[in-house]
Amino acid sequence: MNIKKILTVLSALIALSFIPTLNVQADVTDTNITSSIGWKNENGSWYYYKSDNTKAIGWIKPDNNWYHLDEDSGKMTTGWLEDKGNWYYMDDNGVMVKGWKQLDGDWYLLTDSGARATGIQQDNSNLYYFKDSGVMATNTGWTKINDKWYYFDKDGKIHTGWVENNDKWYYSNDDGSMVTGTDKIGNTTYVFSDTGEMETGWVNVNNNWYYFNTDRSVATGWINLDGVWYYLNDNGSMATGWVTSNGSDYYYLDPTSGKMLTDTTIDGYKIGSDGKRYKPLNTIPLSTSSKGSGDTMKKIYNSVNDSANKYELDSKLILAIIKAESDFDPKATSSSGATGLMQIMPQNYTYLGMTDGYDIEQNIDGGSKLLKEYLNQFNGDVKIAIAAYNAGPQNVKKDGVLSDDDLCKMSQGVQDYVKRVMQYYKDGSIAIDGKNLIEA
């Protein structure tokens, strides 16, 4: 072999052995960068060279990070960068920052795309507000943003849920906005003013009155306000009419104001100075005109008095039921099979301890027992108990009758029955054959 050729080949091999090998991964999303030569520092600035030995520009991702190279010079960007209306922050190594970043004492949030966050943003379970400049707001207290009010804690977080401010309670939705008007929170409906304060004291919600304490709790049971007693049901609504809190003592609350009445007479019952209902005077004197009404009427009269004493009922109420049901005919039978003075259905005989529905004593005792049960079941409300006697307690409940005002929900027949019985009861004008059984 020619010595000159051998020396030429050896020189070429030696020269190749001194060329450095670069191992820089190109951005797989940039088709212009395949096996780049990589980063080069020229006069203190960094550039990225592609495999064709030209400088890369724009966004590149040669490793796990994003970088930006100036569109004109190819110089690597650091600091704030605006691109297509969004702002990004590139650190001193040119890496695009994500997440929280503090600069000159101000906090910024860079989203997963790297864009600077503005407006209300959620990070984990917390809400924050970022100004148009991207700086996190560090307000404390109430701040108005886009016509809505938000409450900021001391650490810049937007508060959600209940917040107490200047001895007033407010509530912020899950998006941080302050609630106004009526809102159901948990199982309780609250009312908030136009400025967001929770209403306290007496508050009307859906035509029911509630009493809200200053600690946000809804009053239940007995409460005394300025010397006046009120009773709030288990759901907090103000009770009216007859109520009992222990199943034995009954009280009467004014139908409009809810105030407990004292020293008066309601539905034939004496109301004491303590507000309790006391046993009515059950003896009914026979009127002069009824003395000649015969043994049957006297037996009815005596049975009514016995049942009234036994079940602690007003005798006039029992008589009013008898007048409406049978017009004092012990042998009366309805088309549905109800029997006797108080029209007892045969299927109820066993429960009521009856064997003969036409027996005066048995019938009045059984009917009075039912009437007493309905009074207890409906908190002593006479009108609702009368409706239950006529239509059955299950229908009273099905129609959603909770107070006298709800009786309009029942059929017209039941409404007329209640009015008729109450007329007999209150007027005392219960007559048979044109004669009065009781003194008016």
Side-chain angles (χ1 to χ4, degrees):
M1 178 180 292
N2 190 302
I3 296 297
K4 187 176 181 180
K5 288 182 178 180
I6 293 174
L7 291 174
T8 301
V9 171
L10 289 173
S11 297
L13 291 173
I14 292 170
L16 287 172
S17 68
F18 285 100
I19 296 175
T21 301
L22 299 177
N23 183 23
V24 180
Q25 182 180 355
D27 181 9
V28 296
T29 62
D30 191 340
T31 57
N32 294 323
I33 303 174
T34 54
S35 56
S36 65
I37 294 176
W39 291 105
K40 284 189 177 182
N41 188 306
E42 298 178 1
N43 300 321
S45 297
W46 286 94
Y47 301 85
Y48 193 87
Y49 280 86
K50 300 186 291 184
S51 58
D52 62 359
N53 207 34
T54 60
K55 294 176 180 177
I57 60 173
W59 290 99
I60 65 170
K61 191 178 181 183
D63 47 39
N64 291 327
N65 299 306
W66 283 97
Y67 303 81
H68 186 271
L69 305 167
D70 184 78
E71 300 285 348
D72 296 323
S73 66
K75 178 181 176 181
M76 183 185 76
T77 306
T78 59
W80 286 111
L81 163 70
E82 185 181 15
D83 182 56
K84 298 178 181 178
N86 291 315
W87 284 90
Y88 303 83
Y89 189 80
M90 321 303 289
D91 67 15
D92 292 342
N93 295 317
V95 175
M96 183 185 74
V97 176
K98 298 179 184 179
W100 289 96
K101 180 68 177 178
Q102 188 177 34
L103 298 170
D104 300 326
D106 293 324
W107 282 99
Y108 300 82
L109 179 64
L110 290 308
T111 64
D112 290 341
S113 67
R116 187 175 70 190
T118 58
I120 296 175
Q121 300 289 335
Q122 183 171 352
D123 182 54
N124 295 323
S125 59
N126 298 314
L127 293 171
Y128 302 86
Y129 178 70
F130 298 88
K131 302 174 183 178
D132 291 342
S133 63
V135 175
M136 185 189 80
T138 55
N139 313 42
T140 57
W142 290 106
T143 299
K144 193 173 185 179
I145 302 171
N146 298 329
D147 296 325
K148 293 184 178 181
W149 286 94
Y150 300 82
Y151 189 85
F152 287 79
D153 294 327
K154 292 181 179 180
D155 56 4
K157 295 176 183 175
I158 296 177
H159 195 95
T160 58
W162 286 104
V163 59
E164 186 179 17
N165 182 248
N166 295 328
D167 298 324
K168 299 285 187 180
W169 283 101
Y170 303 80
Y171 191 83
S172 297
N173 291 311
D174 290 342
D175 66 358
S177 61
M178 182 183 73
V179 172
T180 60
T182 301
D183 195 26
K184 188 173 184 179
I185 302 169
N187 294 322
T188 304
T189 300
Y190 296 86
V191 177
F192 300 86
S193 70
D194 292 340
T195 53
E197 296 112 348
M198 186 195 85
E199 301 283 0
T200 58
W202 288 112
V203 177
N204 190 293
V205 180
N206 299 326
N207 296 321
N208 289 312
W209 285 98
Y210 298 80
Y211 191 85
F212 288 86
N213 297 310
T214 55
D215 63 356
R216 305 198 325 262
S217 64
V218 183
T220 58
W222 288 104
I223 61 171
N224 188 297
L225 302 173
D226 299 325
V228 177
W229 285 98
Y230 301 83
Y231 187 80
L232 292 308
N233 296 312
D234 290 343
N235 67 352
S237 62
M238 183 185 76
T240 60
W242 289 108
V243 299
T244 179
S245 56
N246 57 13
S248 59
D249 294 327
Y250 285 87
Y251 303 82
Y252 190 81
L253 308 175
D254 184 84
T256 303
S257 68
K259 296 179 180 179
M260 183 186 78
L261 302 187
T262 60
D263 296 319
T264 187
T265 300
I266 300 292
D267 294 337
Y269 291 93
K270 172 66 177 177
I271 306 297
S273 59
D274 57 359
K276 288 183 182 180
R277 182 181 78 183
Y278 289 92
K279 184 177 179 180
L281 297 175
N282 294 307
T283 302
I284 308 173
L286 286 170
S287 65
T288 303
S289 60
S290 63
K291 288 181 180 179
S293 57
D295 293 337
T296 297
M297 289 306 302
K298 291 181 180 179
K299 191 172 184 179
I300 292 174
Y301 164 81
N302 290 328
S303 295
V304 166
N305 274 339
D306 289 342
S307 293
N309 283 312
K310 180 178 179 180
Y311 296 110
E312 295 187 353
L313 294 170
D314 188 341
S315 299
K316 290 183 180 181
L317 180 58
I318 300 174
L319 289 170
I321 296 286
I322 293 174
K323 172 65 176 175
E325 291 286 343
S326 67
D327 200 20
F328 297 99
D329 180 4
K331 300 299 181 182
T333 304
S334 72
S335 58
S336 61
T339 60
L341 291 166
M342 299 189 76
Q343 292 291 279
I344 310 297
M345 294 297 291
Q347 57 263 37
N348 292 328
Y349 285 0
T350 301
Y351 172 71
L352 298 173
M354 296 171 55
T355 58
D356 183 358
Y358 299 104
D359 180 85
I360 292 175
E361 293 179 353
Q362 290 186 39
N363 191 284
I364 293 176
D365 183 84
S368 298
K369 180 178 180 180
L370 285 178
L371 181 59
K372 178 65 174 181
E373 287 184 0
Y374 299 153
L375 283 165
N376 288 338
Q377 187 172 351
F378 296 104
N379 295 326
D381 191 300
V382 174
K383 290 183 180 179
I384 298 180
I386 292 171
Y389 196 94
N390 179 247
Q394 70 279 0
N395 289 318
V396 172
K397 293 178 180 178
K398 185 180 72 174
D399 290 342
V401 177
L402 301 176
S403 68
D404 293 350
D405 293 336
D406 294 329
L407 287 169
C408 62
K409 299 177 181 179
M410 303 200 74
S411 70
Q412 190 60 50
V414 174
Q415 295 180 55
D416 292 342
Y417 178 86
V418 172
K419 291 178 182 177
R420 187 164 66 253
V421 172
M422 289 302 296
Q423 186 68 33
Y424 294 149
Y425 177 41
K426 290 185 175 181
D427 290 349
S429 57
I430 303 171
I432 178 171
D433 297 332
K435 299 175 182 179
N436 289 328
L437 175 65
I438 59 174
E439 298 286 2

